[in-house]
């Protein structure tokens, strides 16, 4: 008598919600914080935050510091930091002014600004990696160095850029597309490129590994010095480009350019969930964090508070956002 062995297949264990959400903990945290902030502003100032004009204003002003926050995220993921980007904005525009006035070409002016930005980033990266000085110390020094160099070269004077308004480059960089400022579209392109570099390119993989354990990265054969230098160069390039956009927008170059962007840029990165210790961060988080920071001042004014509350709200938003990230991270790691 033949017996047929009954086979039973055990059902696949279902992954818990926490396990499914674990890879997205940072993105969930920043999204929740963003929605809470915007809901508060809409409830307290519906006339402003339900009007499309406020969002067009955000699209025009937020990219100036958000563009720098994107590559800065990658630098911090790799365990470094760059505080010199506000001064690179100004020094890059010195290159723009010299090239533009010398040749009459706005295109060459933009190219010169970008080259200056690349050289500044290369200088930062070389000093950090070759000499071995911590990036915090180096970039504090170069922040003063680059600013001082810009002031000396331009002799502290303001340059009017009104004649650039009649050029194709002006419309390409700070004109309008579908009724939205070109700055916003450049920011979107930069965010897509930065996301691809950090998540789909060897440069981003190397940055995560270096930030998590630099010694292990070196033993694995990862070119740590080259990777870190490239990341500093990207920050310099972005800072110079942001300086060009800002100056063309107001058709003036002020030697103090960039002086007010240090705090918003850093806040956008850390509110977005990037770890100050390296090894963790996301471009999505920084992108959303930039618009959170960009909306705080307008929200404070719209709900009838004075400017005295700006720093208070900045601090509260940063602490709340970071706390949400930490709670979700612990929750999903269980």
């Amino acid at each position: 008598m033949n017996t047929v062995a009954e086979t039973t297949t055990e059902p696949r264990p279902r992954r818990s919600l926490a396990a499914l959400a674990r890879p997205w903990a940072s993105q969930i945290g920043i999204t929740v914080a963003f929605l809470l902030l915007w809901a508060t502003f809409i409830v307290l100032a519906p006339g402003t935050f339900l009007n499309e004009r406020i969002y067009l204003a955000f699209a025009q002003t937020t990219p100036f510091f958000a563009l720098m926050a994107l590559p800065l995220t990658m630098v911090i993921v790799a365990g470094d930091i760059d505080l010199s980007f506000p001064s690179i904005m100004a020094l890059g525009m010195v290159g723009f002014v010299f090239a533009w006035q010398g040749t009459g070409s706005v295109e060459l002016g933009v190219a010169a600004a970008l080259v200056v930005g690349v050289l500044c980033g290369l200088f930062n990266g070389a000093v950090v990696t070759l000499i071995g000085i911590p990036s915090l110390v180096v970039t504090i020094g170069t922040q003063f160095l680059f600013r001082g160099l810009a002031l000396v070269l331009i002799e502290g004077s303001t340059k009017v850029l009104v004649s650039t308004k009649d050029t194709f480059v002006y419309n390409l960089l700070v004109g309008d597309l579908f009724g939205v400022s070109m700055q916003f579209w450049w920011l979107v392109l930069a965010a897509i490129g930065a996301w691809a570099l950090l998540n789909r390119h060897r440069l981003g993989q190397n940055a995560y590994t270096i930030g998590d354990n630099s010694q292990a990265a070196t033993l694995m054969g990862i070119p740590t010095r080259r990777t870190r230098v490239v990341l500093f160069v990207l920050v310099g390039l972005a800072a110079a480009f942001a300086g060009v956009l800002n100056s063309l927008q107001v058709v003036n170059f002020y030697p103090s350019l960039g002086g007010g962007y240090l705090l918003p840029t850093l806040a956008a990165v850390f509110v977005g969930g990037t770890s100050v210790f390296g090894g963790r961060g996301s471009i999505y988080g920084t992108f959303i964090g930039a618009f959170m920071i960009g909306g705080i001042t307008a929200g404070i004014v719209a709900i009838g508070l004075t400017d005295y509350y700006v720093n208070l709200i900045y601090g509260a938003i940063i602490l709340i956002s970071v706390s949400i990230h930490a709670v979700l991270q612990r929750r999903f790691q269980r």
Side-chain angles (χ1 to χ4, degrees):
M1 181 175 178
N2 295 329
T3 60
V4 179
E6 293 184 359
T7 59
T8 59
T9 58
E10 296 182 359
R12 282 186 177 181
R14 294 184 178 180
R15 298 180 65 187
S16 66
L17 180 61
L20 292 171
R22 185 178 297 116
W24 310 100
S26 179
Q27 289 85 344
I28 293 172
I30 186 61
T31 303
V32 170
F34 177 80
L35 293 176
L36 289 175
L37 177 67
W38 236 252
T40 301
F41 285 154
I42 289 174
V43 170
L44 297 179
T48 299
F49 280 84
L50 292 178
N51 191 313
E52 66 174 5
R53 287 181 296 179
I54 190 69
Y55 298 100
L56 293 176
F58 291 152
Q60 185 179 62
T61 58
T62 302
F64 295 141
F65 65 89
L67 280 166
M68 297 180 288
L70 298 174
L72 184 61
T73 299
M74 294 190 282
V75 167
I76 296 175
V77 163
D80 288 309
I81 194 166
D82 189 343
L83 301 180
S84 67
F85 56 86
S87 298
I88 297 177
M89 293 178 72
L91 190 56
M93 275 305 298
V94 172
F96 173 94
V97 169
F98 283 172
W100 172 55
Q101 291 182 338
T103 64
S105 170
V106 179
E107 292 85 354
L108 289 178
V110 174
L114 298 182
V115 168
V116 171
V118 168
L119 291 176
C120 289
L122 187 61
F123 181 81
N124 281 336
V127 174
V128 170
T129 59
L130 297 180
I131 300 180
I133 305 174
S135 57
L136 175 65
V137 177
V138 171
T139 56
I140 287 176
T142 55
Q143 178 183 183
F144 290 102
L145 176 66
F146 296 154
R147 178 72 65 185
L149 186 58
L151 290 170
V152 169
L153 292 174
I154 209 74
E155 296 181 346
S157 60
T158 299
K159 301 297 181 182
V160 179
L161 308 176
V162 175
S163 59
T164 62
K165 295 184 71 173
D166 299 325
T167 64
F168 169 75
V169 173
Y170 177 89
N171 292 318
L172 177 66
L173 295 181
V174 295
D176 292 334
L177 181 63
F178 305 122
V180 181
S181 298
M182 283 299 299
Q183 297 96 295
F184 174 76
W185 301 114
W186 284 111
L187 174 61
V188 171
L189 288 176
I192 294 172
W195 181 89
L197 281 177
L198 191 59
N199 297 282
R200 294 294 183 269
H201 193 272
R202 185 176 300 174
L203 179 69
Q205 296 173 0
N206 292 346
Y208 277 118
T209 306
I210 294 169
D212 189 54
N213 191 322
S214 61
Q215 292 182 344
T218 301
L219 293 174
M220 292 167 60
I222 292 175
T224 56
R225 286 183 176 178
R226 185 175 66 192
T227 299
R228 294 167 70 193
V229 169
V230 169
L231 295 176
F232 278 108
V233 167
L234 291 177
V235 173
L237 180 65
F241 185 60
V244 170
L245 295 183
N246 189 290
S247 298
L248 290 181
Q249 177 64 41
V250 298
V251 291
N252 271 286
F253 164 55
Y254 302 96
S256 60
L257 174 66
Y261 288 131
L262 181 62
L263 175 60
T265 305
L266 291 173
V269 175
F270 294 124
V271 165
T274 299
S275 172
V276 69
F277 301 107
R280 192 181 80 236
S282 74
I283 296 300
Y284 170 81
T286 297
F287 185 87
I288 298 298
F291 281 94
M292 286 179 64
I293 298 300
I296 287 175
T297 302
I300 289 172
V301 174
I303 62 181
L305 298 178
T306 65
D307 290 342
Y308 300 131
Y309 286 84
V310 172
N311 288 335
L312 176 65
I313 302 299
Y314 267 146
I317 292 299
I318 292 174
L319 290 176
I320 292 172
S321 299
V322 171
S323 298
I324 291 175
H325 289 309
V327 170
L328 289 175
Q329 201 76 22
R330 286 199 300 269
R331 174 70 179 90
F332 292 148
Q333 285 176 349
R334 291 177 183 174

